[in-house]
Amino acid sequence: HSSCRFERYLQMVEEDPHHIPPMSRDTRTQIQKANWQIVNCSTPANYFHCLRRQIHRDFRKPLIVVAPKNLLRLKRCVSSLEDMGTGTSFKRAYDERDETICNNPDDVKTLVFCTGQIYYELLAEREKRGCTDVAICTLEQIAPFPFDKAAQYCQKYSNAELVWAQQEPKNMGAYAYVAPRMMTATRELNNNEKRCRYVGRMVSSAPATGMSKIHQKEYRDIMEGVFGPEPEVSD
């Protein structure tokens, strides 16, 4: 296992977590004014659009992609040609992708934000349990932060508890960067400040334990932190 320590890149992002710049499509200049961009794409199509927009821009700005290589061989991580065709573009964030859950936001009790690979692990766990009251949204562009998208999804699932889920320890990953910006987005744009409940590994000096049994326990703790304890199977 390896980590690119992208929390260190996030620490150096030149962005005020308590200020929301203009966010409309025609006036948004977040990337022009930032020192660099950090993305973690969860679909091949979004990765394609990320690289395409980088090439076609009329300005240059460093791009840091932190997507893990194991998504290259994950069978569920696929896109159609239509997702890359005419009229499509890069998505800074994805709403819940299950139509049933997405179309019934009032029934959602937990709204989970995450980024990258953990989305597919949460999705598999949700399907295994048959949950329909947990919505999973992914941040594809972590920095500059998509304040408008975060506020939009929190407003849509207004009855839900807000959760940030990650695989990394609490002092790593995107949590420290995302948490204050989620509060700013919901406070300034929705007039209803929300704080993320953290779900992930405990603070650590190393990005991974290196011990299989402990790794599996940490993984189960993350799943239970999002979905609750697994129901006991009766004989």
Side-chain angles (χ1 to χ4, degrees):
H1 297 280
S2 64
S3 171
C4 74
R5 298 282 190 170
F6 80 101
E7 66 274 358
R8 298 181 181 179
Y9 294 102
L10 290 171
Q11 284 178 335
M12 292 186 283
V13 172
E14 194 177 277
E15 179 185 68
D16 187 344
H18 305 117
H19 170 71
I20 300 178
M23 298 301 297
S24 69
R25 187 178 182 88
D26 294 334
T27 62
R28 189 169 62 238
T29 57
Q30 269 188 305
I31 294 176
Q32 289 93 322
K33 294 180 178 179
N35 56 322
W36 54 27
Q37 321 153 69
I38 302 174
V39 302
N40 190 1
C41 301
S42 62
T43 68
N46 222 29
Y47 184 43
F48 164 78
H49 286 302
C50 176
L51 298 181
R52 185 176 183 276
R53 75 169 185 171
Q54 181 75 358
I55 293 172
H56 283 278
R57 281 186 173 133
D58 58 4
F59 63 92
R60 289 291 170 258
K61 194 68 63 169
L63 171 65
I64 299 168
V65 180
V66 298
K69 62 182 181 294
N70 57 2
L71 289 186
L72 295 172
R73 57 180 179 270
L74 186 65
K75 292 182 179 180
R76 300 197 67 165
C77 185
V78 295
S79 297
S80 66
L81 287 176
E82 287 75 16
D83 294 331
M84 307 178 203
T86 304
T88 60
S89 61
F90 177 76
K91 296 182 180 296
R92 292 173 294 139
Y94 278 111
D95 192 1
E96 168 58 53
R97 303 178 211 186
D98 182 287
E99 289 188 5
T100 301
I101 298 175
C102 184
N103 294 334
N104 294 278
D106 293 340
D107 297 333
V108 173
K109 297 179 181 177
T110 305
L111 171 59
V112 183
F113 277 87
C114 62
T115 186
Q117 173 189 332
I118 194 173
Y119 165 73
Y120 293 99
E121 297 175 357
L122 293 171
L123 181 62
E125 183 72 15
R126 185 176 69 181
E127 291 176 348
K128 185 179 80 171
R129 295 186 181 215
C131 293
T132 58
D133 59 357
V134 177
I136 307 172
C137 299
T138 59
L139 294 184
E140 304 286 298
Q141 177 181 295
I142 308 169
F145 189 74
F147 290 97
D148 53 338
K149 292 295 184 180
Q152 176 187 336
Y153 300 153
C154 288
Q155 182 69 22
K156 177 179 179 179
Y157 305 100
S158 57
N159 299 329
E161 178 192 17
L162 183 59
V163 169
W164 173 261
Q166 66 178 37
Q167 295 173 319
E168 299 88 354
K170 193 174 186 179
N171 56 325
M172 303 179 195
Y175 172 66
Y177 176 87
V178 168
R181 288 166 175 80
M182 292 291 290
M183 292 170 61
T184 299
T186 53
R187 180 181 67 249
E188 299 297 327
L189 298 179
N190 297 346
N191 294 315
N192 181 22
E193 183 178 285
K194 289 192 173 185
R195 300 190 178 197
C196 300
R197 176 169 63 86
Y198 171 78
V199 175
R201 289 177 166 81
M202 296 174 62
V203 293
S204 173
S205 59
T209 176
M211 301 177 68
S212 178
K213 289 185 177 181
I214 295 178
H215 174 79
Q216 290 300 320
K217 182 184 183 304
E218 291 174 339
Y219 174 83
R220 293 312 315 163
D221 288 345
I222 293 172
M223 295 300 120
E224 292 187 0
V226 171
F227 299 102
E230 284 195 87
E232 295 183 4
V233 179
S234 57
D235 294 333

